[in-house]
């Protein structure tokens, strides 16, 4: 997607260090962290919001993989407790319309 900032990060148009990546998704530090650790887990597939997920195996798997990636990153970083957040829609504070999971921790 042309004007999507996360697609630009994925295409390396905006240089960003990945803290984790696999064939389905990447993870990088949030540019405006709201916790000691604030990482975004971003699928390579452009999907605007959680509302746009398809009821097919591919999207179901993708969301599961996002959660498991967050868990693995947290484990690697020895985080005890953490919050996993999807903001869904502008009124809920979503500003980037390419789905992403916030991993936030102060522990
Ligand atoms: P949301 O409000 O759920 O759409 O979250 C979007 C997040 O993306 C915000 O927390 C921003 O700080 C973050 N963000 C925006 N641009 C960048 C960027 N270039 N690199 C890293 N994080 C970004
Ligand atoms: Zn995108």
């Amino acid at each position: 997607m042309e004007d999507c900032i996360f697609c630009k990060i994925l295409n390396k148009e905006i240089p960003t260090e990945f803290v984790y990546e696999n064939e389905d998704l990447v993870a990088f530090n949030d540019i405006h962290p709201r916790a000691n650790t604030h990482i975004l887990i971003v699928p390579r597939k452009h999907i605007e919001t959680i509302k746009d997920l398809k009821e097919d195996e591919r999207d179901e798997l993708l969301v599961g993989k996002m959660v498991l990636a967050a868990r693995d990153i947290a484990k690697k970083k020895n985080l005890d407790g953490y919050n996993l957040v999807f903001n869904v829609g502008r009124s809920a504070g979503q500003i980037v319309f390419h789905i992403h999971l916030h991993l936030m921790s102060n522990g």
Side-chain angles (χ1 to χ4, degrees), residues 1 3-8 10 42-47 96-99:
M1 291 291 156
D3 289 325
C4 172
I5 192 160
F6 286 176
C7 282
K8 286 185 177 154
L10 284 157
V42 180
R44 294 185 189 277
K45 181 180 176 188
H46 179 93
I47 301 168
V96 176
F97 284 81
H98 178 136
I99 61 167

Side-chain angles (χ1 to χ4, degrees), residues 56-90:
D56 64 19
E57 265 179 41
R58 190 169 170 219
D59 281 5
E60 283 177 1
L61 256 178
L62 186 59
V63 175
K65 286 176 177 180
M66 290 171 75
V67 174
L68 293 179
R71 179 202 63 182
D72 291 348
I73 293 165
K75 193 173 179 190
K76 223 178 202 170
K77 289 186 168 290
N78 285 318
L79 302 176
D80 178 28
Y82 48 90
N83 299 95
L84 298 180
V85 175
F86 283 107
N87 293 326
V88 185
R90 216 171 290 278

Side-chain angles (χ1 to χ4, degrees), residues 10-71:
L10 284 157
N11 295 335
K12 314 264 185 210
E13 285 170 63
I14 299 174
T16 302
E17 191 186 330
F18 296 152
V19 299
Y20 176 91
E21 67 178 306
N22 65 29
E23 62 177 349
D24 300 299
L25 57 88
V26 303
F28 49 84
N29 289 313
D30 196 292
I31 205 165
H32 297 303
R34 273 159 277 148
N36 292 342
T37 300
H38 187 169
I39 291 169
L40 302 172
I41 291 97
V42 180
R44 294 185 189 277
K45 181 180 176 188
H46 179 93
I47 301 168
E48 289 198 357
T49 82
I50 289 289
K51 296 177 195 174
D52 301 301
L53 287 168
K54 297 205 176 78
E55 303 242 341
D56 64 19
E57 265 179 41
R58 190 169 170 219
D59 281 5
E60 283 177 1
L61 256 178
L62 186 59
V63 175
K65 286 176 177 180
M66 290 171 75
V67 174
L68 293 179
R71 179 202 63 182

